[in-house]
Amino acid sequence: MIIVVADFFAADLVGGAELTTEAILEATDKPIVKILSRDLTLDVIKKYENEKWIFGNLTKVKTQILDYILSSSLDYHMIEYDYKCCIMRLPEYHKKVSGKCCSEEIIGKTISAFFSNAKTLWFMSQGQKNWYDNEFPVLKDHKNSYVLSSIFDKQTISTLAELDCTNKNDVYLIQKHGSRFKGTKESVKYAQDNNLNYELFGNIAYKQVLEKFAESRGFIFLPTEFDTCPRVTIEAKLLGCEVITNDNVQHRNEIWFNSNSSVLVSHMQERLEFFWNTI
């Protein structure tokens, strides 16, 4: 049995972390118990204390619960989707506005200890892992620390494979995002400065997004802060788009991402198998 703790699951919120978690769980035939992080109590931990645990986003877990787990022998594994060590989840931005982040604060020390004690520790990209290793040197000594990457489920991969990408127009797509850190303004400026024909998209169904990628020449995504392994860049790449990004897209320079579609899919499948074989 696998006990999975997260702030949200895909049934509650359709986000990148939630979709990757679902894809991971889809790949095992072991019984799964899902627990929302806000519902994690000592009684729940004791009930399943002999089982294997996977933690995703855990911002709603009480500090005393994390402290209890740290003092226990619980078999737990940690997937870090963003930057839970930072109260803003944007560590470099936090440093810009405050002069420092949270590495010496309670949240930073607790999260680094929790990560350090995990049986295995998984990051979304090498850039994210490097940042953590530099910010929290204790994590450099973690013997079972790996890069997982974003993972797509079988249905998504099948849907992507079915779309026709042979009739591309000259449009570069830009996501109209509610968060200023996703770089919509910066992406529009890039398109204008480089005389690119662009189109903003937003508030449309997921299938429509994929169809737009399939028919468009490119995708511009220039976030202003770290984005550990944004799924939207992978979707665009799998659908034959020229993807224009910056170094805040932290998987940007990884070999698999700069390969063809079959390599991208194989990479996700390999990481998924490695995950289950390792934990």
Side-chain angles (χ1 to χ4, degrees):
M1 181 180 292
I2 306 292
I3 315 302
V4 185
V5 179
D7 288 346
F8 301 101
F9 293 98
D12 312 300
L13 175 71
V14 182
E18 292 73 27
L19 291 173
T20 289
T21 297
E22 289 301 315
I24 291 169
L25 300 183
E26 176 191 76
T28 182
D29 56 4
K30 296 178 181 178
I32 301 293
V33 175
K34 296 179 180 179
I35 300 171
L36 291 172
S37 61
R38 66 171 181 262
D39 297 330
L40 186 62
T41 64
L42 291 179
D43 287 341
V44 172
I45 294 172
K46 290 173 181 177
K47 179 179 178 180
Y48 298 111
E49 63 184 354
N50 295 318
E51 306 295 343
K52 190 184 299 290
W53 291 64
I54 297 174
F55 284 88
N57 288 337
L58 43 69
T59 60
K60 300 180 186 301
V61 176
K62 295 179 177 63
T63 301
Q64 57 265 39
I65 298 295
L66 293 179
D67 290 339
Y68 175 82
I69 295 172
L70 283 170
S71 65
S72 74
S73 58
L74 201 68
D75 178 1
Y76 74 91
H77 306 260
M78 183 70 221
I79 304 173
E80 172 62 319
Y81 288 108
D82 50 27
Y83 289 95
K84 282 183 282 296
C85 62
C86 174
I87 196 169
M88 297 182 70
R89 313 287 277 273
L90 297 165
E92 294 305 305
Y93 179 75
H94 195 178
K95 290 177 184 178
K96 291 173 193 173
V97 298
S98 300
K100 62 179 181 178
C101 190
C102 304
S103 59
E104 296 302 320
E105 304 297 329
I106 291 176
I107 183 175
K109 291 180 178 180
T110 300
I111 291 299
S112 65
F114 195 79
F115 285 10
S116 184
N117 281 12
K119 294 293 192 298
T120 63
L121 176 58
W122 303 84
F123 294 101
M124 288 293 100
S125 58
Q126 189 62 50
Q128 180 199 26
K129 183 180 186 304
N130 291 344
W131 186 92
Y132 262 103
D133 287 348
N134 289 330
E135 195 76 10
F136 300 98
V138 65
L139 297 181
K140 290 183 180 180
D141 297 326
H142 200 300
K143 295 180 180 179
N144 298 301
S145 177
Y146 310 101
V147 174
L148 177 62
S149 301
S150 292
I151 304 293
F152 292 6
D153 63 22
K154 292 179 181 178
Q155 180 58 53
T156 299
I157 291 174
S158 176
T159 299
L160 290 165
E162 291 170 358
L163 291 171
D164 181 8
C165 304
T166 61
N167 190 27
K168 294 277 189 180
N169 56 35
D170 69 342
V171 171
Y172 284 79
L173 295 172
I174 297 172
Q175 188 175 23
K176 188 176 182 180
H177 205 284
S179 170
R180 64 189 176 95
F181 301 112
K182 294 295 183 178
T184 300
K185 181 177 71 174
E186 289 75 12
S187 298
V188 169
K189 185 178 186 305
Y190 179 94
Q192 293 173 341
D193 289 348
N194 290 276
N195 297 313
L196 300 178
N197 183 16
Y198 70 91
E199 176 187 337
L200 287 165
F201 71 92
N203 296 319
I204 59 176
Y206 179 59
K207 181 69 180 298
Q208 289 179 282
V209 173
L210 299 184
E211 289 170 349
K212 279 188 170 294
F213 281 148
E215 68 186 18
S216 300
R217 178 177 179 179
F219 175 54
I220 306 172
F221 183 63
L222 301 172
T224 62
E225 300 299 327
F226 287 157
D227 208 328
T228 58
C229 190
R231 296 170 68 89
V232 68
T233 61
I234 302 171
E235 291 158 350
K237 200 72 176 287
L238 285 169
L239 291 170
C241 290
E242 175 192 354
V243 179
I244 298 172
T245 65
N246 58 24
D247 286 337
N248 286 323
V249 174
Q250 291 191 283
H251 67 283
R252 174 190 184 185
N253 296 317
E254 294 185 26
I255 293 174
W256 64 272
F257 183 66
N258 293 292
S259 303
N260 59 39
S261 295
S262 62
V263 172
L264 264 70
V265 173
S266 295
H267 171 80
M268 286 189 283
Q269 293 172 336
E270 183 274 329
R271 298 317 293 164
L272 190 54
E273 292 173 4
F274 180 70
F275 175 85
W276 284 113
N277 287 337
T278 303
I279 73 165

